[in-house]
Amino acid sequence: MLKRICYPLHKYICIISGLFLLFSQLNYALADNFEQLRKDAANIQTIQARFVQSKSMKILSKPLISEGCFYYVSPDSFRWEYFKPLKSIVIAHKGETKRYISSGGKMTEDKTGGVQAMKIVLNEITAWMSGKFDQNPSFKATLKEGTYTEITLTPVGKSMAGMIEKIIITVSKKDTAVKSVKIIESENSLTRIDFSDAVINKVIPESTFQDIE
Amino acid sequence: MKSVPILVLTFFFVSCQTLPVINNAPGPQTGKEALICPSPFLKEKYRLIHAIEIQMAGATRSAIIGVTLVDPATRTVSCAILTAEGMVLFEADADAGLLNVRRALPPFDSTSFAKNMIDDIKLIFLSPEGKIHQLGTLSDGANVCRWREENGDWIDVSVHQQGNIDIQRYSASGGLKRHVKFINKAGENIYSSIELHAKELSNYSLLMMLIEAQPVKN
């Protein structure tokens, strides 16, 4: 039961975390093709940024807005944190991945985690960090040039069935900055994430991946 | 064969669960002001968004975002469960007794989960469908109205002297199934803090903190 909830949830977290790594790499390189992306991935040592997440659904009259921040240190440490409306933190560090939630004003570990599912997530993250976005067998990646550069990731096979229809990343051609990311779950459900204040290759203390509060 | 007496005793014990005793309602015959049934229920169509902590065995297990759209005029309910990351785990509508599950990812994909969730939402936000069976006071002094539902369940809605309102759903035999507590401070929206305690094979509690409440005009 616990693993059943853990797997889709953490796979989802993995996707949105991995996406940001992709965007940062796009900032670094004029990403004419995915091979260039892979080469530039090697230059990324650390990333930190803020994000605003906008969730649209038929049941909502207006998008549900969430805010948070993201930290990454190569090769496999990351922290994905929401400040509001529901405080939560996902931390991967030294081979361990944990999710924390706010309970009674304190952060407490999400007990729905399963060790096996965590390993699956870590394997996926490692692949994304290596810039292998077009080599992940779970997604088919395509580039489209227009007013903006648009990267579309479409799930392949059944692993994402019922979870995600496609992911669309819009990148400014002028400065290669990512403008928006859309995770389309269904025709009635869309998650858009806008990143800001991105800082690349600035030292991030290890405590970022150890301290919860 | 040794288990038969145990089964009989268990059946006897379960059968003998009794509803809390309600003392006579105040009214003209007692010279006290007549009792008015507490009504924490929605009066118009509303959309509510709650942060929800899931507790089992006294410990917080997880946290989710719950979106509820309820129309008391038609008794229609729409609901969705999201993770903080925006992932939709569950989405369903209930209209005129018809349940339509639009999306259900594990572990929210069982048929009983959807029905129980809609029933819980109705218990919290909609007045009971049954008839008022009894009015009066509980042993702790709380004023209470007791409804009898068509399926035989009992629903007690009580208001305590501090003003807090509770809803309790009992089985036909008197076993407590759900206990809802509205824990709002003076001046707060009544749905700002809600606790739902469920008695199941594995007991669980939901602690709901209001993020947003919005009336919906058709």
Side-chain angles (χ1 to χ4, degrees), chain B residues 6 9 18 20 24 30 35 39 50 63 81-82 88 102 117 124 131-132 135 181 185-186 193 199 202-203 216-217:
Chain B
I6 296 171
L9 279 173
T18 54
N24 286 337
T30 59
L35 189 146
S39 180
H50 283 92
I81 296 174
L82 291 76
V88 181
R102 297 178 183 277
M117 181 165 171
I124 295 170
K131 294 178 179 175
I132 293 178
L135 295 82
K181 297 179 180 179
K185 295 171 186 168
S193 179
K199 298 281 186 184
S202 295
N203 295 344
V216 177
K217 304 297 178 194

Side-chain angles (χ1 to χ4, degrees), chain A residues 7 17 32 42 69 77 80 89 104 123 165 191-192 196 212-213:
Chain A
Y7 182 70
S17 309
D32 291 324
C69 67
S77 296
W80 182 270
I89 307 170
N123 288 342
E165 278 187 10
T191 304
R192 177 183 169 128
S196 63
I212 306 307
E213 299 296 339

Side-chain angles (χ1 to χ4, degrees), chain A residues 196-213:
Chain A
S196 63
D197 304 329
V199 179
I200 296 175
N201 287 344
K202 182 184 177 184
V203 173
I204 297 173
E206 190 176 10
S207 60
T208 303
F209 308 102
Q210 296 168 328
D211 297 341
I212 306 307
E213 299 296 339

